[in-house]
């Protein structure tokens, strides 16, 4: 899985650890499943400003996006799965 963020890492590697942990927790998936983090690339992400507020300002939005994504996936699954006697299909 890939994460994109407009925030730049401030040199401590937090984007590659903290952001992955937050998203993995919200999506209820293994940390290791998030293999790529794209940060600060304004061609593929919104401009996140400087690295100030990196963990304080960025994490609530990241957590919110991951939570909304999880709910959207549950909604899709609920619409496409049908109970067939003993199993979901």
């Amino acid at each position: 899985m890939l994460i994109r963020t407009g925030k730049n890492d401030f040199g401590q590697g937090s984007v590659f650890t903290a952001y992955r942990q937050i998203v993995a927790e919200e999506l209820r998936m293994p940390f290791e499943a998030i293999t790529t983090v794209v940060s600060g690339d304004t061609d593929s992400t919104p401009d996140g400003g400087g690295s100030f507020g990196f963990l304080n300002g960025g994490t609530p939005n990241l957590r919110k996006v991951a939570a909304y994504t999880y709910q959207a996936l549950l909604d899709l699954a609920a619409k496409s799965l049908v109970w067939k006697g003993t199993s979901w299909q």
Side-chain angles (χ1 to χ4, degrees):
M1 184 173 152
L2 174 127
I3 298 173
R4 294 182 192 274
T5 176
K7 282 292 192 185
N8 287 308
D9 192 14
F10 52 82
Q12 302 299 321
S14 297
V15 71
F16 303 105
T17 304
Y19 277 23
R20 288 172 62 206
Q21 288 172 329
I22 291 165
V23 171
E25 179 181 313
E26 287 296 328
L27 293 178
R28 288 136 178 105
M29 64 189 297
F31 172 81
E32 298 79 20
I34 302 169
T35 57
T36 306
V37 179
V38 176
S39 68
D41 178 1
T42 56
D43 284 339
S44 63
T45 64
D47 183 7
S51 61
F52 50 87
F54 182 74
L55 292 176
N56 293 334
T59 57
N61 289 335
L62 186 65
R63 186 174 296 280
K64 189 182 296 184
V65 166
Y68 284 144
T69 301
Y70 183 74
Q71 287 303 312
L73 290 171
L74 287 178
D75 290 346
L76 284 171
K79 290 176 184 173
S80 63
L81 292 174
V82 177
W83 181 256
K84 298 278 186 171
T86 60
S87 65
W88 289 100
Q89 297 179 2

